[in-house]
């Protein structure tokens, strides 16, 4: 057997009329003798046969048969064409048809030798030189076998170089069988892979008179034609791996980043759900992340230092609760409350307005340089919080605003605006004055102008309470005592609000009796909004219902209400220092006087 490696062999047999029947039989045996010594098979040597005269006929192609028996049956069934001798046409057919991959030829990159054995007995009736050159350039190795009358020049024009190894001339058809053995030796030659040092790193493949190197699967042949390099299957970017591609001997596998698992499609990655393992110990919620998990608390709770347990958050300090008066935190939630005497509205946030009484309210705000612009904006917000508590209308509560520094300016009088929205907008439009702190001058302006009927104050006969609220952040640069006294003597209920460096002595001098109910203090501007609570009950008086009702402080109901309020004040004062004790004594004495009056009436 010829074991030099796989070949693709096509016999091109002359069946022109010059070949007599018994001579054609010797050509059949010539082909079968050569086929009988070849190792045939799909992965070994493949054989095809065509015959030609004036036309070309395909007997069987390279892909038709893979056993000797099938091929011999097909060769024995050949009927000669017995016409002309168009050898060039036969070579053209072999190149364009017989040696194509569609007809069973192995691809050129596999380096399987393509061999055409042309057997003829005469001179070609067409041109062979040009078409034979094209066939050789296409990678077909041509052996030209001439019998008897064959033209040597035509054989040499067809054959591959070196001609002495590819051109054969046999004197008669009778001698062709003896030539078959000689030709087989020439075709098979020496097994170079066995007999010589080939230098192939992986595999050596013998070809007639030569060899070539092949690489194992997953490797490619280097430029030197002998050594092999692994094929990087990831390099072309078509692997489809979501995370990482790992080359493995000409193939590849996908790998995921830490914390992810490879999906069933072996390409995409899914994050590992560490929470599903059930060992996280989170009190509320477990959240999976790559390489682990963390615990998360439900809304209204804060994660504790152990990173697992949760505790309720003071939502009043952490969210925009929207409560008009006061927010009260509960476990995981909060709710709004209103001042005593007011009810929470349906929205759960706002409180009922001062519908039980009406007042004339003038607010006097400090616009001195020490306040500073950003804090002045907080003062304006403080003013609007108070306005929110009032039921503003021409016949209800009226509001005026005065700003002072080294001078005094009426921002708007009591009769300027008739709704809370108008007042709040006007407050936010007020411009900061800066400069000094003339609190006494501001009190004088309030008494002489702000509470005049000309600027909207209602006549004293209407029994509409007049309330003055003075806001300051420091010591006055003028005397306040005289105009603070005159304000209270004229029937104005005075409230004093101090922030930061405000002087307590001055605040007490401004405030009406009982002083503890009429002055408040906050350490800084950012926390002063809670002071609104201190005024809400006092600026919504029960007795301020205009001309429709005038209540006597000696009436039993009024006395009981006053007594209740006083007891509450006494209770709060017990925690104060000795300075507050003086006020406690005064209040107790007043209470005893009132009790005596009740006893005398009885």
């Amino acid at each position: 057997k010829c074991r030099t490696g796989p070949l693709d062999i096509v016999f091109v047999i002359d069946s022109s009329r010059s070949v007599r029947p018994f001579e054609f039989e010797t050509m059949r045996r010539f082909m079968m003798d050569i086929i009988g010594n070849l190792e045939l098979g799909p992965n070994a040597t493949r054989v095809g046969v065509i015959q030609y005269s004036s036309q070309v006929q395909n007997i069987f192609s390279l892909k038709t048969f893979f056993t000797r028996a099938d091929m011999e049956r097909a060769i024995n069934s050949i009927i000669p064409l017995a016409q002309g001798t168009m050898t060039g046409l036969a070579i053209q057919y072999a190149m364009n048809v017989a040696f194509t991959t569609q007809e069973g030829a192995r691809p050129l990159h596999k380096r399987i030798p393509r061999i055409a054995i042309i057997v003829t007995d005469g001179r070609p009736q067409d041109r062979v030189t040009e078409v034979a050159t094209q066939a050789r350039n296409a990678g077909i190795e041509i052996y030209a076998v001439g019998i008897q009358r064959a033209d040597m020049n035509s054989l040499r024009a067809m054959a591959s170089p070196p001609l002495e190894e590819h051109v054969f001339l046999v004197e008669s058809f009778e001698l062709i069988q003896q030539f078959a053995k000689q030709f087989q030796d020439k075709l098979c030659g020496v097994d170079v892979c066995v007999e010589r040092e080939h230098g192939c790193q992986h595999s050596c493949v013998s070809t007639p008179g030569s060899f070539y190197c092949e690489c194992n699967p997953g490797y490619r042949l280097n430029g030197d034609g002998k050594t092999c390099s692994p094929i990087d299957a990831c390099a072309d970017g078509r692997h489809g791996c979501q995370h990482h591609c790992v080359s493995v001997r000409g193939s590849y596998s996908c790998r995921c980043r830490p914390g992810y698992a490879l999906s069933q499609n072996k390409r995409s990655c899914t994050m590992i759900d560490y929470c599903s393992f059930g060992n996280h110990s989170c009190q509320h919620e477990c959240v999976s992340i790559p390489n682990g998990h963390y615990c998360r608390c439900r809304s209204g709770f804060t994660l504790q230092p152990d990173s697992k347990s949760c505790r309720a958050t003071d939502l009043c300090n952490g969210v925009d609760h929207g409560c008009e008066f006061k927010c009260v935190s509960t476990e995981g939630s909060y709710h709004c409350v209103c001042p005593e005497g007011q009810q929470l509205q349906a929205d759960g946030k706002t409180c009922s307005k001062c519908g039980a009484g009406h007042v004339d309210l003038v607010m006097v705000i400090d616009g001195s340089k020490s306040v500073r612009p950003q804090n002045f904006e907080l003062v304006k917000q403080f003013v609007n919080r108070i306005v929110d508590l009032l039921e503003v209308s021409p016949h209800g509560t009226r509001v005026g605003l005065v700003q002072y520094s080294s001078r005094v300016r009426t921002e708007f009088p009591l009769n300027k605006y008739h709704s809370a929205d108008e007042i709040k907008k006007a407050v936010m439009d007020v411009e900061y004055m800066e400069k000094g702190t003339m609190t006494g001058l501001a009190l004088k302006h309030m008494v002489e102008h702000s509470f005049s009927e000309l600027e909207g104050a209602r006549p004293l006969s209407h029994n509409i309470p007049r309330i003055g609220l003075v806001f300051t952040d420091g010591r006055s640069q003028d005397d306040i005592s005289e105009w603070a006294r005159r304000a209270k003597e004229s029937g104005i209920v005075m409230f004093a609000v101090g922030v930061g460096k405000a002087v307590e002595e001055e605040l007490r001098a401004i405030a009406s009796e009982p002083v503890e109910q009429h002055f408040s203090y906050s350490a800084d501007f950012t926390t002063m909004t809670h002071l609104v609570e201190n005024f809400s009950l006092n600026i919504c008086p029960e007795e301020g219902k205009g001309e429709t009702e005038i209540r006597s402080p000696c009436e039993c109901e009024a006395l009981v209400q006053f007594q209740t309020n006083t007891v509450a004040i006494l209770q709060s004062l017990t925690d104060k220092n000795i300075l507050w004790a003086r006020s406690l004594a005064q209040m107790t004495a007043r209470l005893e006087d009132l009790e005596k009056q009740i006893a005398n009436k009885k």
Side-chain angles (χ1 to χ4, degrees), residues 259-518:
Y260 291 81
L262 197 63
S263 302
Q264 290 184 349
N265 62 14
K266 302 301 181 182
R267 285 179 170 82
S268 59
C269 299
T270 305
M271 190 171 73
I272 298 173
D273 185 5
Y274 290 95
C275 294
S276 65
F277 299 164
N279 58 352
H280 52 76
S281 302
C282 297
Q283 182 179 352
H284 285 182
E285 300 172 3
C286 175
V287 181
S288 286
I289 57 174
N291 293 329
H293 72 280
Y294 68 90
C295 296
R296 182 171 62 192
C297 296
R298 293 191 294 270
S299 177
F301 291 80
T302 302
L303 194 65
Q304 297 305 292
D306 63 3
S307 298
K308 294 181 179 181
S309 57
C310 302
R311 200 162 84 185
T313 304
D314 184 2
L315 290 181
C316 289
N317 290 331
V319 300
D320 183 13
H321 52 76
C323 296
E324 179 180 329
F325 178 67
K326 187 176 182 180
C327 174
V328 178
S329 290
T330 57
E331 184 173 340
S333 184
Y334 68 91
H335 64 272
C336 301
V337 297
C338 292
E340 184 180 352
Q342 296 188 41
Q343 292 184 343
L344 194 66
Q345 299 298 293
D347 62 5
K349 297 178 183 292
T350 59
C351 301
S352 59
K353 306 298 182 182
C354 293
H358 309 308
V359 298
D360 285 345
L361 171 64
V362 174
M363 287 179 275
V364 182
I365 59 175
D366 186 348
S368 62
K369 186 175 183 179
S370 60
V371 174
R372 298 189 179 179
Q374 65 270 28
N375 291 331
F376 190 73
E377 293 301 313
L378 296 176
V379 173
K380 293 195 288 186
Q381 294 176 21
F382 174 80
V383 169
N384 280 344
R385 289 286 299 275
I386 294 176
V387 174
D388 284 334
L389 297 171
L390 307 173
E391 199 170 87
V392 178
S393 69
H395 301 290
T397 293
R398 299 180 183 180
V399 177
L401 182 64
V402 172
Q403 182 185 178
Y404 73 95
S405 59
S406 298
R407 56 189 179 87
V408 183
R409 181 174 71 203
T410 298
E411 300 295 350
F412 53 83
L414 289 166
N415 57 3
K416 176 73 172 180
Y417 299 112
H418 306 305
S419 71
D421 288 341
E422 290 178 311
I423 292 172
K424 289 166 68 176
K425 182 179 183 305
V427 170
M428 296 312 294
D429 290 340
V430 170
E431 294 184 358
Y432 178 38
M433 294 176 69
E434 298 192 38
K435 298 188 178 180
T437 311
M438 302 295 286
T439 311
L441 183 63
L443 291 171
K444 180 177 183 294
H445 180 90
M446 180 192 71
V447 173
E448 293 182 342
H449 300 284
S450 300
F451 281 108
S452 66
E453 293 183 25
L454 181 64
E455 292 199 2
R458 284 163 286 195
L460 292 173
S461 60
H462 288 185
N463 196 37
I464 301 296
R466 295 181 174 182
I467 297 177
L469 190 153
V470 177
F471 181 96
T472 182
D473 83 322
R475 183 182 296 275
S476 176
Q477 294 174 340
D478 61 352
D479 180 64
I480 65 166
S481 58
E482 179 181 356
W483 286 103
R485 175 179 55 79
R486 288 195 186 187
K488 289 178 278 190
E489 289 176 351
S490 65
I492 302 171
V493 179
M494 294 298 297
F495 287 86
V497 178
V499 177
K501 295 182 180 180
V503 180
E504 181 179 347
E505 182 183 352
E506 291 185 354
L507 297 176
R508 289 178 171 276
I510 295 171
S512 293
E513 294 288 343
V515 172
E516 306 309 327
Q517 285 188 348
H518 291 83

Side-chain angles (χ1 to χ4, degrees), residues 22 40 49 62 85 183 187 242 254 289 325 340 491 509 518 592:
F22 75 90
L40 304 174
V49 176
L62 292 168
T85 309
F183 181 79
L187 184 66
Q242 183 178 355
C254 296
I289 57 174
F325 178 67
E340 184 180 352
H518 291 83
E592 290 175 353

Side-chain angles (χ1 to χ4, degrees), residues 57-102:
Q57 181 185 33
N58 182 44
I59 305 303
F60 59 87
S61 64
L62 292 168
K63 66 179 181 180
T64 306
F65 302 122
F66 298 108
T67 66
R68 178 182 179 185
D70 290 336
M71 293 179 185
E72 287 183 351
R73 276 194 296 272
I75 291 172
N76 283 326
S77 66
I78 298 174
I79 299 175
L81 297 173
Q83 296 175 358
T85 309
M86 303 295 285
T87 309
L89 181 64
I91 296 173
Q92 185 81 42
Y93 182 89
M95 179 177 63
N96 293 341
V97 179
F99 280 110
T100 62
T101 55
Q102 291 84 352

